[in-house]
Amino acid sequence: MSTKSLPPVVFIHGWKASVLADKHTGKDEFNYTLGVVTGLAADPSIELPMEWESNGNQVKDNLIATEACHSAACLCGMVKLGDIYGPVLDHLEKTRDLHVFAYDWRLCLDETAANFTKFLISVKETTGQAPQVVAHSMGSLITLNVLNHNPHIFHSILLGAGAIAPNAAILKDYSLLGEKNIIVQNKTMFTPKINLTNPAPLHFIAYPGERELWGKPDTVLFRDDDAPLDLDLHKISTWKQYKLGIYHPDSGVDTVTEKMESWFQSVLDKAYKFRRGLLPQNSGLKASDCPPIAVLRGDHCDTEFSYNVRRIDESRYLDLKEGIGHIRGDGRVTLQDTVPPKDIPVCKIVTNAREHSEVLNDLENVDMLLNLLISEKK
């Protein structure tokens, strides 16, 4: 089959995985260069204003997403230090009509989903065919949201290492200096205080009972004295009570202001509304309207999944350092959490042994699944 007869492919990347450039000068401000990942260069300023525009979107800074991150490099890109999306992007560029949707991974996902919808419609109108979407990590979550509201703009969907099911793993990023905020050797570019202004990852967080609604085999994210505990993480009072996020003693946040609290609760409200829209029972999506969907995921290592409540005197806190429960996954997303809700049909699940960022660089399985999806569409 010739490339021209195949449907176009749209690639959507994950969290922290697009280049952010100054919209006025065109200079790259965020990318995985040697100086940035080693901490030798000055950190890019990626804090966003904690304010909303009149249309409900977050106020922007001067940075815009220009492209998906290709590889980590030094010497102005002449020397490659490691792969990011380079292998899969280069391969799809050579073999398919590739269109890359680069988005600002800091912003609330309702805004990004709206922009992605417009992008997919534009590709369909320009090429005359609905696109196959290849999505990675957070890109899979955005794709799932769009699917629930506009299933007919897709030819088919390949979810790669999809960070889609409700979970709690992002709590460390919002609570602890270092830990998951370390990028290679850089310990200061991402911190709980900076992450507070970049709300996109909060859309990963589960609301009470959500895992049951998705049909997940493991539903308990929190325990108190070995008893299951359902925390409402879309209420700031829960974060205060269990010393999470900016209230954690190791967050590096010395003073929590009223503005910070008001902002945080407004983001949690938006994230809750977004997650509600991921379930067909809420969106009205019918299984018969879904395009063919496949999943490519990584069984690489034991992956963080659940946490325990501890007590000090009369107070309680959620322990993010010890007694953590693990199940198999790619190091960031567990195997079961890469699969859509039970009411959304999936025609094929393939598991490789790669870690999270490398799952889609499994080119043989990417090709196989894209071809399978085409055959399923006929």
Side-chain angles (χ1 to χ4, degrees):
M1 189 179 293
S2 68
T3 301
K4 290 184 178 180
S5 64
L6 295 171
V9 170
V10 167
F11 181 86
I12 176 170
H13 58 80
W15 185 34
K16 302 180 184 176
S18 68
V19 177
L20 301 180
D22 189 304
K23 64 182 180 182
H24 301 298
T25 66
K27 179 185 176 184
D28 290 352
E29 295 293 340
F30 175 87
N31 201 355
Y32 293 97
T33 62
L34 179 64
V36 168
V37 300
T38 58
L40 297 176
D43 289 337
S45 178
I46 55 174
E47 289 185 75
L48 282 166
M50 292 187 290
E51 301 171 24
W52 302 112
E53 298 174 344
S54 59
N55 62 4
N57 294 331
Q58 189 172 3
V59 174
K60 312 298 189 295
D61 56 10
N62 64 326
L63 300 183
I64 58 172
T66 57
E67 60 181 317
C69 292
H70 184 279
S71 55
C74 63
L75 299 177
C76 300
M78 297 300 292
V79 178
K80 188 173 76 171
L81 302 174
D83 292 325
I84 303 178
Y85 294 127
V88 68
L89 289 177
D90 289 347
H91 178 70
L92 292 174
E93 183 71 37
K94 292 175 182 176
T95 60
R96 300 293 296 272
D97 177 19
L98 176 64
H99 304 255
V100 178
F101 177 72
Y103 65 93
D104 188 333
W105 38 263
R106 301 173 296 169
L107 300 171
C108 278
L109 298 191
D110 57 347
E111 179 178 356
T112 303
N115 290 333
F116 189 42
T117 299
K118 295 174 184 177
F119 186 86
L120 293 174
I121 292 172
S122 176
V123 170
K124 183 177 180 180
E125 291 175 347
T126 301
T127 65
Q129 296 187 75
Q132 288 190 287
V133 168
V134 177
H136 180 252
S137 194
M138 181 182 280
S140 298
L141 182 60
I142 296 164
T143 300
L144 180 60
N145 179 273
V146 176
L147 168 67
N148 268 274
H149 301 92
N150 293 278
H152 300 297
I153 62 177
F154 298 89
H155 172 283
S156 52
I157 299 171
L158 171 54
L159 301 173
I164 55 177
N167 65 81
I170 205 69
L171 289 176
K172 278 193 169 184
D173 300 76
Y174 279 85
S175 303
L176 303 176
L177 291 170
E179 291 273 349
K180 291 186 177 181
N181 283 311
I182 298 174
I183 304 295
V184 188
Q185 296 178 2
N186 188 314
K187 300 179 180 180
T188 57
M189 182 165 52
F190 293 99
T191 68
K193 185 177 181 181
I194 291 172
N195 292 341
L196 177 66
T197 75
N198 297 179
L202 291 170
H203 296 67
F204 294 135
I205 290 177
Y207 57 79
E210 189 181 3
R211 290 190 67 85
E212 288 89 344
L213 295 173
W214 278 58
K216 295 302 172 186
D218 293 290
T219 60
V220 179
L221 295 173
F222 311 107
R223 292 185 180 275
D224 187 355
D225 286 338
D226 289 330
L229 179 67
D230 223 353
L231 296 181
D232 188 351
L233 290 170
H234 291 95
K235 291 183 178 179
I236 195 172
S237 57
T238 303
W239 295 69
K240 286 183 181 180
Q241 180 180 355
Y242 291 94
K243 297 178 175 57
L244 297 169
I246 53 179
Y247 304 103
H248 195 286
D250 295 334
S251 69
V253 178
D254 297 324
T255 303
V256 178
T257 66
E258 184 177 338
K259 179 180 179 179
M260 291 165 70
E261 291 186 321
S262 176
W263 163 257
F264 191 43
Q265 183 59 65
S266 66
V267 170
L268 293 175
D269 290 342
K270 285 173 74 73
Y272 173 72
K273 183 178 179 181
F274 180 90
R275 289 216 63 89
R276 291 275 299 172
L278 299 175
L279 286 170
Q281 67 188 65
N282 296 328
S283 68
L285 176 68
K286 298 177 181 177
S288 58
D289 288 335
C290 290
I293 300 170
V295 170
L296 182 58
R297 60 188 186 176
D299 184 358
H300 180 74
C301 60
D302 291 336
T303 300
E304 288 192 21
F305 177 73
S306 61
Y307 305 90
N308 289 291
V309 170
R310 309 291 185 196
R311 287 176 170 76
I312 297 181
D313 298 325
E314 297 299 317
S315 65
R316 297 190 296 175
Y317 70 97
L318 197 66
D319 193 340
L320 300 178
K321 297 183 178 182
E322 297 181 357
I324 297 170
H326 294 75
I327 55 180
R328 295 299 295 179
D330 60 25
R332 190 65 173 181
V333 180
T334 67
L335 289 170
Q336 62 185 267
D337 287 355
T338 63
V339 181
K342 59 185 178 181
D343 297 325
I344 295 178
V346 174
C347 62
K348 184 76 171 180
I349 298 175
V350 173
T351 305
N352 59 30
R354 302 192 179 210
E355 59 88 20
H356 186 69
S357 67
E358 284 284 335
V359 168
L360 277 177
N361 287 332
D362 178 359
L363 304 183
E364 182 178 353
N365 275 319
V366 167
D367 277 348
M368 182 273 291
L369 289 170
L370 288 177
N371 289 331
L372 173 68
L373 291 170
I374 291 172
S375 66
E376 290 286 327
K377 185 72 172 181
K378 293 178 179 179

